[in-house]
Amino acid sequence: MSERGPHGVFGGTFDPVHVGHLRLAEEAREALLLERVRWIPAGQPWHRAAPQTSPAHRLGMVRAAIAANAAFEVDGREVASGRPSYTVDTLTALRGELGDAVSLVLILGADAFALLHTWHRWRDLFALAHIGLATRAGQAVDATTLDPALATELAARTGSDARVLRERPSGAIVRFDMTPLAVSATDIRARLARGERCRYLLPDEVFEYIRLNRLY
Ligand code: ATP
C-alpha cells in the first residue's frame, strides 16, 4: 500500500457550489483522514436535467469556492470533455494516472448514494475506489428503502473503521456523520432568481463570481 494518504474524489453538478458541498468535502477530509480532495464538476450530467449554468462557469465557481483550502483541488476533465461523463470512466482515468496503490475515496451524500445502482457500470466502481458515505441533513441511509442489489453491497462492504481506507486502495464503504445542512443548489437558484444575495449559503467569492458573470 502506498505511503500517501487516501485521496478524496468529489463529483457534482455544483450549479452553484454552496456551503453544503464545502462542509461535505471538509468533513469527509477530517473524518476519513484524506490527504486531499479532488473536486470534479460534471460537464453534461447524464443522469439529470441539464444544469442551468454552463460547465465553464460551474468550474469557475468551484475554483473560486475552494481557492483558500490547500487540501482541495479542482479537476476540470469532465467539463473539458464536452460530452456526458461517467464516474466509472473518470475513476479509471485517475487510476491510470495515480497508479494502483493509492487509495481513492468517492465522496457521496446519502441522496446520491441511494441512486448509485442507476449509475453506468456501478458495480465496477468498487474495484476503482472506496465510497465515503455522508449522512445528509438527517437523511440516514435506510437499507430497507434501497434497491436490493445496492443494499446487499452496502451490507457486505460497510465497515465502521476508516483505517480500511489506508489498508487497501478500493472496495469499502465507510460512513461518516456530517453536520446536517439543509442547503440545496435548487433552493439557492430560486433565491438568486428572486434577487436574494444568499449570503452565508454560498461563499462570498462565489456570489461575486455570479454577480460579475450575471448568472441565474
Ligand atoms: P440540486 O439541488 O441542483 O440537485 P445539490 O445541491 O444536491 O444540487 P449536487 O451538485 O447535485 O448538489 O451534489 C453533489 C454532491 O453533494 C452529492 O453527493 C450530494 O449528495 C451532495 N450534497 C449536496 N448538498 C448537500 C448538503 N446540503 N449536505 C450534504 N451533502 C450535499
Side-chain angles (χ1 to χ4, degrees):
M1 188 67 206
S2 144
E3 288 304 307
R4 300 167 71 185
H7 284 207
V9 176
F10 183 32
T13 318
F14 306 127
D15 184 22
V17 59
H18 56 66
V19 295
H21 299 131
L22 287 158
R23 285 303 303 176
L24 175 58
E26 182 65 2
E27 294 194 28
R29 193 186 66 73
E30 289 173 349
L32 309 179
L33 303 176
L34 305 178
E35 184 180 303
R36 55 184 61 235
V37 176
R38 183 185 290 255
W39 292 59
I40 311 185
Q44 302 169 21
W46 55 270
H47 62 300
R48 52 181 283 169
Q52 191 171 325
T53 313
S54 72
H57 279 318
R58 291 184 288 102
L59 181 68
M61 289 188 280
V62 171
R63 260 191 224 295
I66 72 173
N69 190 326
F72 288 172
E73 62 195 30
V74 67
D75 182 328
R77 75 183 67 217
E78 292 193 1
V79 164
S81 85
R83 53 187 164 73
S85 308
Y86 297 113
T87 301
V88 68
D89 296 331
T90 301
L91 289 175
T92 301
L94 268 180
R95 271 270 164 243
E97 292 160 25
L98 300 173
D100 291 337
V102 65
S103 176
L104 292 177
V105 183
L106 183 64
I107 301 168
L108 292 177
D111 58 337
F113 179 81
L115 294 173
L116 194 70
H117 62 286
T118 67
W119 292 22
H120 182 55
R121 291 173 49 206
W122 68 278
R123 284 193 171 88
D124 293 343
L125 295 171
F126 296 112
L128 293 162
H130 301 288
I131 290 180
L133 171 56
T135 299
R136 174 180 176 176
Q139 302 166 358
V141 177
D142 173 3
T144 61
T145 61
L146 287 181
D147 172 84
L150 184 56
T152 303
E153 294 289 351
L154 181 64
R157 295 179 182 279
T158 299
S160 55
D161 196 333
R163 271 182 299 189
V164 68
L165 304 178
R166 295 182 166 265
E167 288 161 3
R168 47 194 167 97
S170 64
I173 299 174
V174 177
R175 301 189 199 206
F176 64 97
D177 282 332
M178 183 192 155
T179 308
L181 288 169
V183 179
S184 77
T186 304
D187 174 61
I188 291 175
R189 286 194 299 275
R191 288 172 184 266
L192 289 168
R194 292 197 296 267
E196 288 183 34
R197 193 184 173 303
C198 293
R199 196 165 198 192
Y200 308 129
L201 293 175
L202 303 165
D204 286 348
E205 294 81 355
V206 175
F207 179 75
E208 201 47 30
Y209 186 103
I210 290 170
R211 198 180 61 78
L212 282 175
N213 292 284
R214 300 172 190 278
L215 307 179
Y216 304 104

